[in-house]
Amino acid sequence: MKGTVVISCLLSLLLLQATAEEEKVEDFISALRDRSHIDETLRLATEDKSGDYAVAIENLRRIYHSSIKPMEQAYKYNELRQHEISDGEITSKPMVLFLGPWSVGKSSMINYLLGMQDSPYQLYTGAEPTTSEFTVITHGEKIRSVEGIVMAADSSRSFSPLEKFGQNFLEKLVGIEMPHKMLERVTFVDTPGIIENRKQQERGYPFNDVCQWFIDRADLIFVVFDPTKLDVGLELEMLFRQLKGRESQIRIILNKADNLATQDLMRVYGALFWSLAPLINVTEPPRVYVSSFWPYDYAPDTSRDLFKREEISLLEDLNQVIENRMENKVAFIRQHGIRVRIHGLLVDRYVQTFKEKMSYFSDPELVFKEIVDDPDKFYIFKSILAKTNISKFDLPNRDAYRDFFGVNPVTNFKPLTAQCSYMGGCLLDKIEKAITNELPALLSSINSGKPPGLTSCEATGCGEKPKNRYRKN
């Protein structure tokens, strides 16, 4: 009898414990924030026009390889700018880069946007500095992690140039692939938090150079702060110097805003602007988004409606980048083509000036040293502005060519008049045609919704002999 009573009591206790656990789970689930607005704002349920996108990408790749890359290789542009465009970069998805101090919620924000909380592959978060790697989250057929050495060795990816930062960095580079509708359209990059009391050399790799590589390729840059980390140190100041010229892509995020009362939040908002004002030298201040980006519900008695609107506004910015990804790629390749063209014209002018100044008894090294030390004396840059429709603001630094020709002797380069062939045409004509006709036509076809087809010459074949407008009659 006593045994039956004991068993009955134990069963009742276990039942009560199970009920309590179920209630805890229900409370936990109810505390999770509704994510339906993310799918709605980013239109993840709509079908992506991958067919038209693939055709446009292939046309863009063809234009780059046939019209821009030949001059890029002939005049070694990559050694001037250290930016080689690969097929992986042309075909890559838009990149969203997360920067900011340590433990401000960058990794939590990515977990929230992708719904990765409590999954085996969620990004590790905590109150202490947790992310020590550069983590690239991309789309894949199945969930798996990829080592940085593998990512750099795979030429089909856009990360092969990262090998130049050394093996120590590649050990701090991690890739995560997972099947997700959002990752079919965008790639996220999580970065190590900025720690002001640690010297850059202690990281074991050039942290600022790596950040610059990702900044140069990012379509959208989220710089995240929280109310407890508003101070600006040397490493954060250096980071904002690297962001110069990319102000249109920067979005400032004041995260964990629901930890503060409304009055305190206003003071923190003002303090953030006061800290960043000396670092962002633009007439229009950057947009600051105030919310709490993590999977759980907002704290009670806070401005949850405001935070929700701010979150939706940020998601609309992200959606704009996704929808304009093809236009942005065309604009990027065209801008790159303009820089390559200017570089080719400048090298050609250096070569011509060198040949004009050389005589039978001249010392080649002394002659060219005089030219490269004082290019204005020989009207190198002014002649480019006079003969072509180039803005003086697009001209590269003069000192860069002293270093460039220090590695590449001027005698290694042919003038533009010698860069023509019967079948291939002239390098300058091809790159100018790409900049003024082919790339704008591709952009127009994308904006009008028409499928980007072949140009008339490609469809019918233009058997016209290429003209060399630089050859003297």
Side-chain angles (χ1 to χ4, degrees), residues 55-56 58-60 62-63 433 438 441-442 445 450-462:
V55 172
E58 181 57 31
N59 278 336
L60 181 61
R62 174 190 53 77
I63 292 170
K433 180 182 177 183
E438 294 178 338
L442 179 59
S445 68
K450 297 178 181 178
L454 299 173
T455 60
S456 58
C457 280
E458 289 173 312
T460 60
C462 298

Side-chain angles (χ1 to χ4, degrees), residues 381-406:
F381 286 79
K382 289 182 180 179
S383 63
I384 299 299
L385 291 173
K387 291 185 178 180
T388 57
N389 55 339
I390 294 174
S391 169
K392 64 179 181 179
F393 302 105
D394 292 332
L395 292 177
N397 190 344
R398 289 159 171 75
D399 294 336
Y401 282 90
R402 184 184 293 109
D403 299 334
F404 176 78
F405 285 114

